[in-house]
Amino acid sequence: PGTAPTEVAPTQVCASTPMGYGSMRRKEDARFIRGQGRYLDDIALPGMLHGAILRSPFAHARIVSIDTSAAEAHPKVKAVITGETLAGLGLAWMPTLSHDVQAVLATDKVRFQGQEVAFVVAEDRYAARDALGLIEVDYEPLDAVIDARTALDEGAPVIRDDLDGRTDNHIFDWEAGDAAATDDVFARADVVAECDMLYPRVHPAPMETCGSIASMDPVTGKLVVYTTTQAPHAHRTVYALVAGLPEHKIQIIAPDIGGGFGNKVGIYPGYVCAVVGTIVTGVPVKWVEDRSENLMATSFARDYHMRGEIASTKDGKLLGVRVKVLADHGAFNGTAQPSKMPAGLFHVFSGSYDIAAAHCQVTGVYTNKAPGGVAYACSFRITEAVYLIERLVDVLARDQGWDPAELRMKNLVQPEQFPYTTALGWEYDSGDYPRTLQKALDIAGYAELRREQAEKRERGELMGIGISFFTEAVGAGPRKTMDILGLGMADGAELRVHPTGKAVLRLSCMSQGQGHSTTFAQIVAQELGISPDDIEVVQGDTDQTPFGLGTYASRSTPVSGAATVMVARKVRERAKIVAAAMLEVSPDDLEWEKGRFQVAGDPSASAAIADIAMAAHSDLELPDGVEGHLDATCVYNPPNLTYPCGAYICVVDVDAGTGQVKVRRFIAVDDCGVRINPMIVEGQVHGGLADGVGMALMQLMAFDSDGNHLGASFMDYLLPTAMECPSWELGETVTPSPHHPIGAKGVGESATVGSPPAVVNAVLDAIGVRHADMPLTPAHVWRAMRGDPIRTDLA
Ligand code: MCN
Ligand code: CUN
């Protein structure tokens, strides 16, 4: 026991570059491993100044006065900007991605600890930081709302008194599903299990923090912003709307990004301050936050208080699930998700099971905490949904004495039910759930593990086995149902094949470490027979790329990937006409065969793509109406989301004396449809599994009752390392998406979404406790074993 079975072989990396899909090494790594990455902080523009932000020490306080005179007198300080300065420019408040406003620099009140109060621009970073200490702010502290469950209490302090007529902290009520039909199945059910659970506030904590360099050219009036963004075009449109500038006067450039994980989707006050800084000083201004600023003030994740119920027959046929959610959105409603869905895609919470009725009711509230809300590989809140259903299924199994694997197997949507429409209206596109779960059980050796567990129990040793099965909805999304700030979620792609047969692909999405330079080149290679090494992928510069909404919610492969396929096929259609002219045959006589068009029945008469490219740019006579050259553009509007799935099994040992959890094994069988680069897919899964171990066992943004942030450094906000992770055991099933042009589904967040409930289920299985909230630190586990459940998020 304890050793990984040998049949799980690691993916072989191709010895030579494949002409399409396959595990080729990442093209970008040659640069990265030689220290040649170019991140925001590596960029220095001539005459550039440096900004620093003064932040609130209080979670809630009225600003009585701000005295900047001493800071302004600092010999190296060039400007001190306050909320009042911004108010004069109409920039004190900016729109959020959820139709709220957020203070760029506070004018009236501060509403969370770490909120932006003033911006100093100085000759160097050190002087800017020193000058922050010279600014005198007189605060009048107010009572803070820290526990979301008290936010709507009578007499609770009103956080957003800036909004007209506000008398409470309520943001929205939203529901999905059929309440009456759900109540009906609950009334008829033999058994009902209920559970209160908190998915605590966590943080994506990318290795690189956020930053911007803004440069306004006083002659041309063009604003260039180098910035850490996952969505360059969306950012440009927001800047255009806020500043009243046309888009062509704004260029957003995202350099290499050192991890995003959703942290780099939104626009932060520091970015806007850098823009104001360059306008005020006439030279480029750089702002880069430090680690504590990143952890305290930028997009957090989760913070969902859920009360879930699940109903079933006495022989374990699941009938219904319902949930009430209290969503803590912090001081400004800045969550990123499709506009019509204030709880994101949370309403996939019926999970992977054939459940007749489901209903959710979600209430969003303001608290005195940082804004944000959707980040950290969340798939727009599918993390919360999967955690909810996978915990409920385990709670039900425990209450009834059922085996959690059997209960799941009995209720999974069957392969012949696809396309399957859930009780909440999602149309799952494809999958073979029973086979996926069976494969995970086989790799784990489930029966043997249960025997081992029983033996260990006899000896007083605590071993746990936890299962989760997830379905994600990724690839947002169809324009008719999904938009962000009115921008439909379609993506553009442009492909140009040069005369010599090399190509450039331009995309609106933006890699933050996912390897797009490699996988998107592989898609073109597969379609056109050009080596991926000869295909340059351009991203992250709005002057160089077509419009599209960017990389988050694992939408790049489903949307930009599909756009890439379609644009490559358009080019191939043109190539066919050119080849026909070259070979003096009708296009109908041509067949496409591994990078060349050949005359049907005569393989000796053929033209390779490189020859066709040269001919397309030559004096070759083309039929009337056919343009020369070899290029195309396309905009892809997905007809549906793609629905990857996976079965995860976690095996833990818990120290009965200390509550320390050791993750001994983790089996992950993922189905993301056709895999473009299996090695990159496995890398994505490895990262997400580590995320899951981190969230389940150690990561937490906790606060004291005054709203002091208790996790503002990596001393307190714990991230998992290789030491806490086992050697992952991966498997796969492949059910292509029927509507995606190459059958690929997204995978970038699957493991982060799917793994936390497996780890939690395993720990609770080991200690024999019905429920305890994450993170299951030794202290929390130890208390849970003693029947002393606690609120993990409050000090
Ligand atoms: N891929 C593939 N075959 C598939 C699906 C995906 O080869 N069937 C490849 C893709 O081509 C891409 C990678 O896997 O190179 C991830 O693809 P996809 O699932 O489309 O996800 P995105 O590229 O849209 O990435 C976003 C996703 C999100 S939302 C978060 S959060 C997250 C994640 O990616 N942030 C990451 N993984 C991350 N990985 C790194 N290293 N850094 C981050 O910040
Ligand atoms: Cu929600 S984190 Mo990813 O979608 O950028």
Side-chain angles (χ1 to χ4, degrees):
T3 50
T6 45
E7 72 264 25
V8 183
T11 293
Q12 298 295 315
V13 178
C14 308
S16 58
T17 306
M19 273 310 226
Y21 311 151
S23 289
M24 69 177 274
R25 291 215 167 93
R26 304 197 331 160
K27 289 171 64 178
E28 45 273 78
D29 285 351
R31 218 158 47 77
F32 288 141
I33 63 175
R34 290 179 174 87
Q36 288 168 350
R38 188 164 180 254
Y39 300 90
L40 192 271
D41 204 37
D42 294 325
I43 299 169
L45 301 182
M48 186 173 82
L49 298 173
H50 298 261
I53 291 176
L54 181 71
R55 294 177 182 277
S56 167
F58 295 104
H60 200 191
R62 200 162 292 289
I63 296 178
V64 180
S65 63
I66 304 181
D67 181 355
T68 57
S69 52
E72 277 159 8
H74 187 291
K76 288 188 168 178
V77 167
K78 298 294 178 191
V80 181
I81 295 162
T82 63
E84 210 177 312
T85 330
L86 295 181
L89 298 165
L91 289 174
W93 295 85
M94 62 178 183
T96 70
L97 295 174
S98 280
H99 296 278
D100 192 3
V101 289
Q102 172 174 357
V104 176
L105 294 174
T107 47
D108 52 342
K109 285 203 308 191
V110 286
R111 294 176 169 85
F112 67 92
Q113 190 187 49
Q115 189 182 333
E116 299 79 2
V117 175
F119 187 67
V120 171
V121 183
E123 283 170 22
D124 60 60
R125 188 173 162 87
Y126 305 99
R129 288 263 161 165
D130 286 350
L132 295 182
L134 301 174
I135 300 174
E136 292 284 342
V137 186
D138 186 6
Y139 293 101
E140 179 192 313
L142 300 169
D143 285 343
V145 180
I146 301 308
D147 183 347
R149 296 182 197 210
T150 66
L152 299 179
D153 285 357
E154 191 85 24
V158 178
I159 299 167
R160 295 301 301 280
D161 47 355
D162 58 297
L163 299 173
D164 273 351
R166 266 293 153 169
T167 54
D168 62 23
N169 297 311
H170 181 263
I171 309 177
F172 65 85
D173 283 315
W174 184 76
E175 58 181 315
D178 186 333
T182 309
D183 290 348
D184 199 47
V185 300
F186 270 84
R188 285 188 289 112
D190 303 322
V191 272
V192 171
E194 95 318 311
C195 188
D196 268 319
M197 55 188 105
L198 167 68
Y199 206 133
R201 184 174 273 239
V202 289
H203 198 279
M207 199 184 291
E208 179 202 31
T209 61
C210 301
S212 253
I213 301 169
S215 175
M216 173 69 99
D217 184 326
V219 178
T220 62
K222 183 158 177 172
L223 174 66
V224 181
V225 185
Y226 297 84
T227 185
T228 49
T229 174
Q230 300 178 212
H233 287 274
H235 277 210
R236 187 182 60 174
T237 302
V238 174
Y239 284 112
L241 290 170
V242 171
L245 290 172
E247 269 97 335
H248 59 264
K249 289 283 187 196
I250 304 171
Q251 182 180 11
I252 305 291
I253 302 175
D256 287 328
I257 292 189
F261 304 103
N263 192 230
K264 291 165 181 166
V265 173
I267 293 184
Y268 296 117
Y271 299 176
V272 179
C273 287
V275 171
V276 174
T278 184
I279 293 170
V280 169
T281 61
V283 291
V285 172
K286 178 185 214 167
W287 168 75
V288 179
E289 66 186 3
D290 68 19
R291 179 60 58 193
S292 292
E293 294 181 283
N294 179 258
L295 286 169
M296 287 176 84
T298 63
S299 266
F300 70 95
R302 327 289 190 249
D303 221 342
Y304 254 34
H305 299 258
M306 303 182 278
R307 180 176 178 76
E309 293 172 280
I310 190 161
S312 111
T313 65
K314 61 180 182 315
D315 11 272
K317 168 77 190 101
L318 300 180
L319 299 173
V321 51
R322 62 187 173 196
V323 56
K324 278 199 161 66
V325 179
L326 182 65
D328 183 339
H329 281 219
F332 306 100
N333 187 21
T335 63
Q337 69 261 316
S339 300
K340 298 177 190 84
M341 300 169 182
L345 312 189
F346 179 74
H347 50 312
V348 296
F349 68 86
S350 58
S352 314
Y353 310 107
D354 186 19
I355 294 181
H359 180 253
C360 71
Q361 200 271 316
V362 184
T363 298
V365 295
Y366 290 119
T367 60
N368 289 111
K369 299 180 194 166
V374 182
Y376 199 2
C378 61
S379 293
F380 288 147
R381 296 222 188 263
I382 297 178
T383 27
E384 288 90 328
V386 167
Y387 184 72
L388 173 87
I389 183 73
E390 291 307 297
R391 266 295 34 247
L392 282 179
V393 168
D394 253 46
V395 164
L396 174 69
R398 179 193 145 88
D399 286 358
Q400 299 301 319
W402 294 332
D403 179 90
E406 274 172 37
L407 179 59
R408 285 181 171 83
M409 194 59 103
K410 185 175 207 157
N411 287 284
L412 289 173
V413 175
Q414 295 299 304
E416 62 276 10
Q417 287 177 281
F418 289 95
Y420 174 82
T421 304
T422 72
L424 294 139
W426 299 94
E427 190 188 291
Y428 292 2
D429 57 353
S430 64
D432 188 341
Y433 295 179
R435 192 160 60 89
T436 305
L437 178 55
Q438 191 56 53
K439 199 158 188 178
L441 294 169
D442 291 347
I443 296 174
Y446 185 68
E448 179 52 37
L449 284 174
R450 285 288 175 207
R451 263 194 297 280
E452 183 195 344
Q453 181 184 37
E455 269 171 35
K456 289 206 157 139
R457 270 203 190 136
E458 298 277 302
R459 301 199 295 269
E461 290 172 35
L462 303 178
M463 165 185 166
I465 304 155
I467 303 177
S468 82
F469 197 104
F470 69 90
T471 299
E472 277 192 285
V474 299
R479 281 173 59 175
K480 65 176 186 302
T481 47
M482 295 191 186
D483 71 273
I484 289 184
L485 291 180
L487 301 170
M489 303 189 79
D491 284 353
E494 291 178 15
L495 178 62
R496 186 179 303 167
V497 183
H498 301 305
T500 59
K502 318 279 192 260
V504 176
L505 173 71
R506 297 171 192 278
L507 297 169
S508 54
C509 58
M510 179 64 210
S511 189
Q512 313 128 44
Q514 296 91 341
H516 290 181
S517 296
T518 306
T519 49
F520 284 78
Q522 288 184 272
I523 296 175
V524 175
Q526 180 86 15
E527 296 296 327
L528 290 182
I530 300 171
S531 167
D533 292 333
D534 290 334
I535 299 161
E536 174 81 357
V537 176
V538 179
Q539 298 186 323
D541 181 339
T542 52
D543 276 9
Q544 303 284 336
T545 55
F547 186 84
L549 283 207
T551 290
Y552 42 84
S554 305
R555 60 188 300 281
S556 304
T557 304
V559 190
S560 284
T564 301
V565 178
M566 300 317 272
V567 82
R569 289 183 183 168
K570 271 191 179 177
V571 164
R572 202 167 72 197
E573 277 311 300
R574 174 95 62 82
K576 187 178 192 178
I577 297 169
V578 176
M582 290 167 74
L583 298 167
E584 298 178 341
V585 294
S586 154
D588 297 341
D589 296 335
L590 292 178
E591 288 170 344
W592 176 252
E593 186 66 40
K594 292 196 187 94
R596 43 203 317 133
F597 278 110
Q598 64 188 38
V599 178
D602 180 9
S604 66
S606 72
I609 194 78
D611 304 326
I612 298 171
M614 186 57 86
H617 291 82
S618 74
D619 59 359
L620 176 74
E621 199 159 327
L622 294 172
D624 284 348
V626 176
E627 295 172 357
H629 301 181
L630 206 49
D631 50 30
T633 65
C634 140
V635 176
Y636 187 79
N637 176 27
N640 188 5
L641 302 173
T642 66
Y643 294 82
C645 69
Y648 290 177
I649 299 178
C650 177
V651 182
V652 299
D653 297 303
V654 179
D655 185 320
T658 63
Q660 175 85 38
V661 175
K662 179 164 173 44
V663 178
R664 191 208 305 170
R665 288 180 63 194
F666 201 109
I667 295 93
V669 178
D670 273 273
D671 188 339
C672 58
V674 172
R675 295 179 176 210
I676 299 156
N677 185 321
M679 178 198 74
I680 285 182
V681 168
E682 290 186 5
Q684 291 288 303
V685 173
H686 285 182
L689 296 177
D691 285 341
V693 167
M695 281 182 281
L697 300 184
M698 64 195 82
Q699 280 167 255
L700 176 71
M701 310 272 272
F703 294 83
D704 71 11
S705 54
D706 293 326
N708 290 308
H709 196 295
L710 304 178
S713 83
F714 285 156
M715 293 289 284
D716 299 306
Y717 189 78
L718 304 181
L719 292 179
T721 68
M723 297 297 287
E724 289 80 38
C725 296
S727 184
W728 314 111
E729 300 168 53
L730 306 191
E732 65 173 347
T733 54
V734 176
T735 45
S737 168
H739 63 79
H740 187 276
I742 55 171
K745 305 180 180 188
V747 76
E749 295 159 299
S750 288
T752 314
V753 167
S755 59
V759 181
V760 171
N761 287 345
V763 175
L764 298 179
D765 180 53
I767 64 177
V769 168
R770 192 172 183 268
H771 179 73
D773 286 328
M774 296 183 283
L776 296 168
T777 60
H780 293 165
V781 170
W782 196 80
R783 291 181 69 166
M785 285 194 286
R786 269 144 199 81
D788 177 16
I790 47 162
R791 274 291 291 280
T792 55
D793 60 326
L794 298 176

